[in-house]
DNA sequence: AGCGTCAACTCAAACGTTTGCGTAAAAATT
DNA sequence: AATTTTTACGCAAACGTTTGAGTTGACGCT
C-alpha cells in the first residue's frame, strides 16, 4: 500500500515533462533550467511528493538505515545508548533498526543475519557476553559492511570503537572502597571473554595491588549471562557470602548485575553497607533513591551512542575505504552515595 | 553496497534458466517441475542466496517493517513494551523502527511523517501528552495505513487499542491508601487530554467518592510533559506540600512521574511514608530496593507490546478491510510495599 | 553559410524482483 | 495420426527512481 500516491511519473505527466527531467530538477541538477526546477519543486511541494525510499534504495544500493545489536533494550544503560544513537542517526536522515541478543551467541548471529538481509548500511554492535567467536562479524566487515563497536568490543576486529574508561572506572571505584575502610573487596562481573570484563577486572586488580592487597581468585565471580540469569548471579553472591573471610564490599561490573545484586542482598537481609558495601557500574536514574542510595560508576551512555553513530556514518559516507580507525574512550564518573559509606565513623 | 552479491540473475545464468523460472522455483510455484525446484533451491541454499528486500518491497508494495512512536525509549515501561513488540514482530518476519516523541506534538508529527516516508506497513503509537489533535493520524488511517494504539489512545480514531485497566489500577491503589489510613490523598498526573490521565483520575475519584471523601481540585496536579520536565513536576509537588491540609499520600500516574516524585521528595527530606505516602504507576524492576520500597501499580508492559503488534499484523495481513475493532484491556497489578505502609500501627 | 558550443531537455537502461501471458514439447485423448 | 490438454518453462512489463548518453534548437564565431 502506498500512502504517497504521487510519484515522479505523475509529476512528469502533469507538467508535460519527462520523468528524468523531473528527477533531475528535484535533485537540483545543473542540467535543468532554473525555471523548470522551480516549477517542478513547487509542484512537488504542493502535492507533498516524497520519493519512494524503496525505489531509491534499490537504485542507489543503500537503505539509509543502520542496524543496532544490544543485549537488551530493557536496560537503562542500553536504552540510553540507543537514545543517543537514534538521535544522531535521525538528524542525519537515517533510521535505526534495533535487535536484542539477550546475551546469546546464536541470537546475535541470527540478528546480524536478519539485519544484513534488511540491507543495512552499517552496524552498531555491543557483542553478547556469550560470544567468543567473531568470525561472523569479520566476514561481513571484509565484504565491506561498516561496523562500529561500542561498549563490548572485539580486539580481533579493527574498526572504530567507542568505550568508556573501564579500567579507570573500576580502579576509581575500588580505590574509593579501600579509602572508605573496606579490605575484602569482591568483584562480580560478566563473561571472562568480554573486553569490558577484562578492563574492569584490571582496574580492580590494579587498585588492590597498588595498596599491597592480595587478589583472591575466590573473590572474583564471573556470570556468563551478565546477570540476566538470576540463578547464576545468586550462586555467585552465595559463594561470596560463604567465603572466608567474608567480603565486606562488592564491586559489580554491569548495570544488570548491580541492580540484581542489590535485590538479592535485600532478599537475603544482608545490610548494605553495614554487612557488605556495594559499588557498581550502573546508569539507573534511581541511584539516589535506592535503599541505600547506590554508589555507582556512571557511563556517558547517550554520548557513547551518539559518538558511535557519528563514527559509523562517517565511514558510510566516506568516499574512500577507511583504514585508520579510532578508539574513543569516554570517561566514567563515580557518584559516591551511601552504599559505600565509610567504615571509619 | 550489497553484501549478498548473489542475485536471482546469477542463479539463472549459472543454471541456464530464465530469471522468472528461478523466481518461481524459489517461491515454490506449481508452474515449475520438482526437479528444477530442487536444483534451484539447492543452489540458492549453497550460495546463501537472499532476495533483495528492497527490490521485493518495491515490487510488492510493502516494506515488512512497522513503525513505533513512544514518548521515550529510556523509560522502563516503554522499553518493556518495545521489547514485547520487537519480539512479536521479529517472529513474524517484521522489523520495527522506533522513534521518540519526547512528549512533543511537533516531534510526533515529524516522526510519523518520517515513518510514512520510510514506507512502513503499519503504525504502533502511544500519543504524546502534548498531542490534542489527532488529525495527522486520522488522515493516514483514511489513506489505509493500519494503526494500533497502545497505552495512550485516542477516542477519536477507531482502530484496535491495547490499554490496561487504568481506572481499576488507580481505584485499587487509592483504595489501598484509604485502607492504610491515609485521608488526604493527592494525585499527580499527566496532561488532562490524555486518555490514560482521564481513566486513572476517574479511578482515583471513584475510590474517594465511594468512601464519602471530598475530591479536592487542589489535590490534583497535572503535568503537561508527563514528568519529563522536572521543574514542572517540582512545582506540582511544592504546591501539594504547601496546601492545607497537607496531603498525607500521593498517587502518581506514570512511571516517570513516580520515580521523579520520589527523587524530589528525597531531596526535600520529606520522609516516605511517614510524612507522605507514595503509590505510583511504575514498571521499574527496582521497586523492591527503593528507599522505601515502592508500592506500585504494575502494567504488563511486554504483553501490551506483544498484543498490540499481534493485532497490527493481523490488520496488515488481512485480505479485506478491517472494520470491527477490538479494545483490549489488560489487568494491572498492585504490589504493596513500604511506601504506603499502614498508618495504624 | 557552415561550424562548433552550449543549454535544456529526453531516452533508455539499470537496480532485483514478481507475475500474467505466451509457447514449445510432452503426454493424453480421440 | 491428429487433436487437445498438460507441463514446464521463457518473455517482458512493472514497481519508482537515477543517470549516462543522446537529441534538439538557439546562439555565436569565423
Amino acid at each position: 500500500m502506498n500512502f504517497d500516491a504521487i510519484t515522479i511519473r505523475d509529476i512528469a505527466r502533469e507538467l508535460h515533462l519527462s520523468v528524468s527531467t523531473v528527477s533531475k530538477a528535484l535533485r537540483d541538477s545543473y542540467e535543468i533550467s532554473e525555471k523548470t526546477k522551480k516549477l517542478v519543486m513547487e509542484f512537488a511541494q504542493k502535492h507533498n511528493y516524497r520519493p519512494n525510499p524503496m525505489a531509491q534504495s534499490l537504485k542507489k544500493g543503500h537503505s539509509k538505515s543502520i542496524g543496532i545489536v544490544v543485549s537488551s533494550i530493557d536496560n537503562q544503560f542500553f536504552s540510553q545508548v540507543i537514545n543517543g544513537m537514534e538521535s544522531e542517526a535521525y538528524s542525519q536522515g537515517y533510521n535505526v533498526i534495533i535487535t536484542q541478543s539477550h546475551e546469546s551467541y546464536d541470537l546475535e548471529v541470527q540478528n546480524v543475519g536478519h539485519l544484513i538481509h534488511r540491507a543495512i548500511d552499517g552496524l552498531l554492535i555491543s557483542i553478547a557476553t556469550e560470544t567468543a567467536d567473531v568470525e561472523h562479524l569479520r566476514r561481513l566487515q571484509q565484504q565491506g559492511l561498516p561496523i562500529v563497536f561500542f561498549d563490548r568490543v572485539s580486539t580481533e576486529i579493527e574498526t572504530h570503537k567507542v568505550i568508556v574508561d573501564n579500567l579507570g572506572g573500576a580502579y576509581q571505584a575500588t580505590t574509593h572502597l579501600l579509602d572508605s575502610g573496606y579490605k575484602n573487596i569482591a568483584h562480580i562481573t560478566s563473561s571472562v571473554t568480554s573486553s569490558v570484563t577484562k578492563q574492569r577486572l584490571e582496574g580492580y586488580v590494579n587498585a588492590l595491588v597498588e595498596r599491597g592487597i592480595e587478589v583472591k581468585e575466590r573473590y572474583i565471580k564471573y556470570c556468563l549471562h551478565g546477570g540476566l540469569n538470576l540463578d547464576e548471579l545468586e550462586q555467585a553472591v552465595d559463594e561470596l557470602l560463604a567465603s572466608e573471610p567474608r567480603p565486606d564490599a562488592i564491586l559489580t561490573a554491569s548495570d544488570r548485575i548491580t541492580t540484581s545484586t542489590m535485590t538479592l542482598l535485600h532478599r537475603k537481609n544482608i545490610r548494605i553497607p553495614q554487612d557488605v558495601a556495594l559499588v557498581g557500574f550502573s546508569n539507573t536514574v534511581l541511584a539516589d533513591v535506592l535503599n541505600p542510595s547506590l554508589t555507582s560508576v556512571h557511563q556517558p551512555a547517550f554520548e557513547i551512542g551518539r559518538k558511535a553513530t557519528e563514527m559509523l556514518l562517517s565511514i558510510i559516507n566516506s568516499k574512500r575505504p577507511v583504514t585508520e580507525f579510532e578508539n574513543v574512550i569516554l570517561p566514567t564518573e563515580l557518584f559516591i552515595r551511601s552504599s559505600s559509606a565509610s567504615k571509619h565513623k
Side-chain angles (χ1 to χ4, degrees), chain A:
Chain A
M1 215 160 305
N2 192 353
F3 310 104
D4 290 325
I6 178 168
T7 79
I8 216 169
R9 252 195 183 70
D10 300 325
I11 302 184
R13 193 179 334 99
E14 233 33 62
L15 261 36
H16 304 291
L17 289 168
S18 78
V19 175
S20 43
T21 304
V22 175
S23 174
K24 284 172 181 166
L26 253 14
R27 320 202 86 243
D28 201 25
S29 160
Y30 67 95
E31 292 181 80
I32 307 298
S33 72
E34 288 306 321
K35 207 174 72 185
T36 309
K37 277 186 197 167
K38 188 148 167 273
L39 185 71
V40 171
M41 290 200 180
E42 274 172 4
F43 187 93
Q45 178 85 33
K46 189 157 144 235
H47 292 73
N48 195 32
Y49 164 78
R50 301 280 173 168
N52 179 321
M54 295 181 288
Q56 277 184 319
S57 293
L58 179 58
K59 186 67 195 176
K60 302 225 212 124
H62 61 236
S63 62
K64 283 268 178 186
S65 59
I66 61 190
I68 300 179
V69 181
V70 294
S71 68
S72 171
I73 186 183
D74 172 21
N75 173 310
Q76 292 271 312
F77 173 69
F78 285 120
S79 63
Q80 287 167 20
V81 169
I82 291 173
N83 203 160
M85 291 174 169
E86 204 256 351
S87 161
E88 180 71 19
Y90 191 85
S91 81
Q92 296 200 37
Y94 280 75
N95 294 98
V96 301
I97 299 178
I98 300 165
T99 62
Q100 313 184 58
S101 68
H102 296 292
E103 307 292 18
S104 146
Y105 172 72
D106 290 341
L107 258 177
E108 178 180 299
V109 172
Q110 191 187 332
N111 284 335
V112 170
H114 187 198
L115 288 172
I116 292 305
H117 181 201
R118 281 267 154 225
I120 50 168
D121 297 342
L123 181 67
L124 292 166
I125 183 168
S126 168
I127 58 188
T129 50
E130 232 185 64
T131 301
D133 178 23
V134 292
E135 263 315 307
H136 56 130
L137 298 175
R138 190 204 304 283
R139 220 179 8 252
L140 288 170
Q141 197 200 21
Q142 277 168 0
Q143 285 172 41
L145 179 72
I147 300 181
V148 170
F149 286 106
F150 65 95
D151 183 47
R152 297 207 283 259
V153 308
S154 166
T155 50
E156 294 177 37
I157 294 183
E158 272 205 38
T159 184
H160 290 326
K161 294 166 191 174
V162 182
I163 56 173
V164 295
D165 181 10
N166 289 306
L167 193 154
Y171 173 85
Q172 200 183 357
T174 310
T175 301
H176 159 69
L177 283 171
L178 292 168
D179 287 342
S180 303
Y182 298 96
K183 296 268 183 261
N184 299 309
I185 304 173
H187 184 38
I188 307 182
T189 188
S190 301
S191 161
V192 222
T193 53
S194 154
S195 60
V196 174
T197 298
K198 285 178 194 152
Q199 292 159 8
R200 293 184 184 172
L201 183 61
E202 192 176 343
Y204 161 81
V205 169
N206 286 3
L208 293 184
V209 168
E210 190 178 281
R211 302 286 177 106
I213 295 176
E214 184 198 351
V215 177
K216 302 187 186 69
E217 269 308 317
R218 66 174 182 283
Y219 276 5
I220 303 173
K221 295 293 177 192
Y222 300 95
C223 293
L224 190 58
H225 303 287
L228 264 186
N229 182 336
L230 207 61
D231 291 343
E232 185 183 62
L233 183 63
E234 182 158 18
Q235 194 189 331
V237 171
D238 284 343
E239 284 175 17
L240 284 180
L241 293 175
S243 49
E244 280 297 332
R246 191 207 250 203
D248 56 1
I250 302 177
L251 171 67
T252 47
S254 82
D255 210 318
R256 182 86 58 168
I257 293 179
T258 302
T259 54
S260 298
T261 298
M262 188 147 181
T263 303
L264 285 171
L265 292 176
H266 262 261
R267 285 202 201 143
K268 294 175 191 298
N269 288 314
I270 311 283
R271 293 170 308 159
I272 309 171
Q274 296 87 337
D275 298 333
V276 52
L278 183 64
V279 174
F281 279 78
S282 176
N283 269 52
T284 177
V285 293
L286 296 174
D288 258 326
V289 291
L290 290 173
N291 178 24
S293 62
L294 177 72
T295 297
S296 63
V297 182
H298 182 270
Q299 304 182 59
F302 185 95
E303 179 60 16
I304 293 173
R306 206 201 54 72
K307 185 69 189 172
T309 308
E310 184 186 294
M311 293 169 94
L312 182 69
L313 291 176
S314 87
I315 304 183
I316 293 175
N317 297 323
S318 156
K319 304 289 174 223
R320 45 188 68 261
V322 180
T323 51
E324 293 276 300
F325 295 111
E326 218 178 323
N327 204 359
V328 175
I329 302 181
L330 267 25
T332 60
E333 197 172 354
L334 178 68
F335 287 94
I336 298 175
R337 300 194 183 86
S338 317
S339 69
S340 62
S342 175
K343 263 194 158 177
H344 302 305
K345 46 175 184 170

